[in-house]
Amino acid sequence: MIKFLFDSDTWQEVYDSMSKNKLRTGITMVGVWWGILLLIALLGAARGMENSFNRIFGDFATNSVFIIPSVTSKPFKGFQEGKRVQLTLSDVKKIEENIQGVEFVVPKNQNSALVINGVFSANFSVSGDFPVSNEVQKKRLTKGRFINQNDIDLKRKVAVLAQDIYKQLFEKDEDPLGKYVQINNSNFKVVGVYEPGNIDFSGDVIHIPFTSFQQIYNTGDKIGFVMITGKPEFDISQIEQDAKLLLKNLNKIHPNDKQAFRSFNLGKEFAKITGFLKGMQFLTWFVGLATLIAGVFAIGNILLITVKERTKEIGVRRALGATPFEIKRQIVVEAVFLTLIAGLLGIISGGWILIAVDKVWGQGEDATLVNASVSIAVVFIALIILIVLGTLIGLIPAFKATSVKPIEALREE
């Protein structure tokens, strides 16, 4: 078989067969070319959209839920409805100890404050945080560091500023590290500056140690809300339900009270997005393969016509000693060759389209399609599909060619 493929007569015959009707051959190949181009372009666009979403959520632990205390809507155990719910650090500990699948529990406190640096001053949000906060949402530090455990233990008055806050409180290009800003009449040393991520539910804030926040705002063990991150293999919706039920039991709230705790399940929303992307990829494969198969069938139909036109030639070859296998092999090679050439042209054209898409929609922070591309594995799979389909479709005219007896083929006018 390998010797046959490297035989010049084989490819001369393929060329002669194709060149007899160039227009028909070209039109036949268009179907396969369009199918593979559509497959590559749509898969690349889907990948670009997926990359865009991953960049948006990249700094955040997506398998997370925010739980915010509110007011009760049902009376329970002597408490009237309308009781304001207050979470504490002990509630956080209980969640860590009793809820299966929890990876991180991040207590949060946030308030506003007048922040002063020399002649510059403005009101900003101040967040009391633990170092674990940086585990669930990585800070893009441009200078310095984030809060560490020593800051918590020693109740240090240190601050990490958002980039925009730094620009408002300091001169242009001034190094803020080691400088002091006044927050609620207390001096805090700047130890870091960060660029907020694409998703930052707190907005531009000043992060200070949780223990320091307790002191300057006199909050004790009270917390404003809690963020729970689940382990990848656990369902974040189930974790949310379990955590809410536990918090209701701890705070003497009716189990069916849906108003006592508000929540935002980031994991559930992210799952919707990933589900949409998977559906889009499935649809892309379906449409691309359907178009590809239609194009390959067109090649099969054209080869049937070609075989009909070459009936006398085939009869001569059979009379001269060519075996049915040799006739079939030649026709299958022609089918695979047409399919493969059209497919390669489609892959190249699809690649050009993706390059153009990346130039137009893939640049900048607000890019719609980030690095729209397909992997080498997808290209190989597409080529294998082309070879398999080309072989299968080539068998139909091949069997047709050998079904006519040599004497009858020679009589064909």
Side-chain angles (χ1 to χ4, degrees):
M1 183 66 179
I2 295 176
K3 183 179 178 181
F4 169 77
L5 291 176
F6 285 98
D7 190 345
S8 61
D9 291 340
T10 300
W11 297 107
Q12 183 63 46
E13 191 168 339
V14 170
Y15 174 76
D16 291 341
S17 175
M18 292 174 60
S19 60
K20 282 179 181 178
N21 197 323
K22 296 177 182 177
L23 179 62
R24 185 172 66 192
T25 301
I27 293 173
T28 303
M29 294 172 66
V30 165
V32 176
W33 168 79
W34 178 249
I36 202 75
L37 181 149
L38 198 65
L39 183 65
I40 295 296
L42 291 178
L43 280 176
R47 172 63 67 84
M49 191 175 293
E50 183 180 356
N51 291 338
S52 178
F53 282 120
N54 287 336
R55 187 169 75 172
I56 291 172
F57 289 96
D59 301 325
F60 223 102
T62 52
N63 199 34
S64 302
V65 60
F66 295 85
I67 298 179
I68 305 105
S70 185
V71 294
T72 60
S73 61
K74 294 178 180 291
F76 189 65
K77 290 188 176 181
F79 292 97
Q80 296 298 315
E81 63 178 282
K83 180 185 78 167
R84 177 157 293 281
V85 182
Q86 179 63 64
L87 295 180
T88 64
L89 289 174
S90 62
D91 293 325
V92 172
K93 194 69 175 175
K94 293 292 185 182
I95 293 173
E96 291 175 335
E97 293 172 348
N98 295 283
I99 304 300
Q100 187 180 16
V102 170
E103 185 170 17
F104 299 113
V105 184
V106 185
K108 288 273 192 176
N109 269 333
Q110 196 161 317
N111 212 325
S112 60
L114 177 65
V115 184
I116 303 171
N117 176 36
V119 297
F120 302 105
S121 66
N123 282 297
F124 297 111
S125 292
V126 178
S127 178
D129 287 295
F130 286 95
V132 70
S133 176
N134 199 40
E135 296 294 328
V136 298
Q137 186 181 17
K138 290 289 184 183
K139 294 291 182 289
R140 301 176 184 176
L141 291 165
T142 57
K143 298 176 186 292
R145 63 173 178 84
F146 193 66
I147 294 161
N148 60 36
Q149 192 57 44
N150 283 335
D151 298 330
I152 299 293
D153 296 338
L154 301 175
K155 301 179 182 179
R156 288 174 175 164
K157 292 185 177 180
V158 295
V160 182
L161 313 181
Q163 185 75 17
D164 286 344
I165 294 176
Y166 152 67
K167 290 178 181 178
Q168 293 181 57
L169 291 177
F170 290 87
E171 297 283 358
K172 185 178 180 181
D173 298 327
E174 181 181 358
D175 186 1
L177 299 184
K179 307 288 178 60
Y180 287 84
V181 294
Q182 194 177 89
I183 303 174
N184 257 17
N185 298 318
S186 296
N187 289 321
F188 279 75
K189 184 180 180 179
V190 178
V191 294
V193 177
Y194 71 96
E195 185 72 46
N198 295 304
I199 290 185
D200 197 326
F201 295 100
S202 302
D204 289 333
V205 302
I206 298 175
H207 297 273
I208 65 174
F210 189 91
T211 48
S212 302
F213 189 99
Q214 288 176 309
Q215 285 186 323
I216 67 171
Y217 287 101
N218 194 28
T219 57
D221 284 344
K222 297 177 183 178
I223 60 174
F225 63 96
V226 64
M227 178 182 175
I228 304 171
T229 298
K231 295 176 182 177
E233 65 271 20
F234 285 86
D235 181 9
I236 192 61
S237 295
Q238 186 61 52
I239 292 174
E240 176 188 3
Q241 293 176 20
D242 294 344
K244 282 185 175 180
L245 185 58
L246 175 64
L247 291 173
K248 287 174 183 178
N249 290 335
L250 293 172
N251 291 276
K252 297 182 174 60
I253 297 169
H254 196 286
N256 297 324
D257 192 335
K258 296 182 180 180
Q259 186 177 301
F261 292 100
R262 295 180 289 115
S263 62
F264 175 74
N265 195 319
L266 182 61
K268 188 187 295 184
E269 299 304 315
F270 188 74
K272 291 178 183 177
I273 294 171
T274 54
F276 165 76
L277 291 174
K278 287 178 181 177
M280 185 176 174
Q281 288 179 341
F282 172 79
L283 184 63
T284 296
W285 276 105
F286 178 80
V287 171
L289 289 177
T291 308
L292 195 59
I293 290 170
V296 171
F297 269 109
I299 288 179
N301 289 331
I302 292 301
L303 286 175
L304 281 171
I305 296 171
T306 303
V307 165
K308 180 67 176 174
E309 292 173 347
R310 296 165 61 190
T311 301
K312 194 167 184 178
E313 173 198 328
I314 292 170
V316 171
R317 292 184 63 188
R318 292 286 303 277
L320 292 173
T323 64
F325 173 74
E326 290 173 341
I327 301 295
K328 291 175 184 176
R329 182 176 60 184
Q330 181 65 41
I331 294 172
V332 168
V333 166
E334 291 178 18
V336 172
F337 180 75
L338 285 173
T339 307
L340 204 53
I341 290 297
L344 288 171
L345 290 173
I347 290 170
I348 294 169
S349 302
W352 285 342
I353 288 174
L354 292 180
I355 291 172
V357 165
D358 190 58
K359 292 289 184 184
V360 177
W361 292 292
Q363 306 300 316
E365 287 293 323
D366 300 324
T368 307
L369 302 173
V370 177
N371 190 25
S373 60
V374 292
S375 65
I376 297 297
V378 169
V379 174
F380 275 118
I381 290 171
L383 289 174
I384 290 169
I385 291 171
L386 286 171
I387 293 170
V388 171
L389 289 177
T391 302
L392 293 176
I393 208 66
L395 289 173
I396 299 173
F399 278 104
K400 178 70 175 176
T402 56
S403 65
V404 182
K405 294 180 180 179
I407 191 66
E408 294 175 357
L410 288 170
R411 288 174 181 168
E412 187 73 24
E413 294 294 336

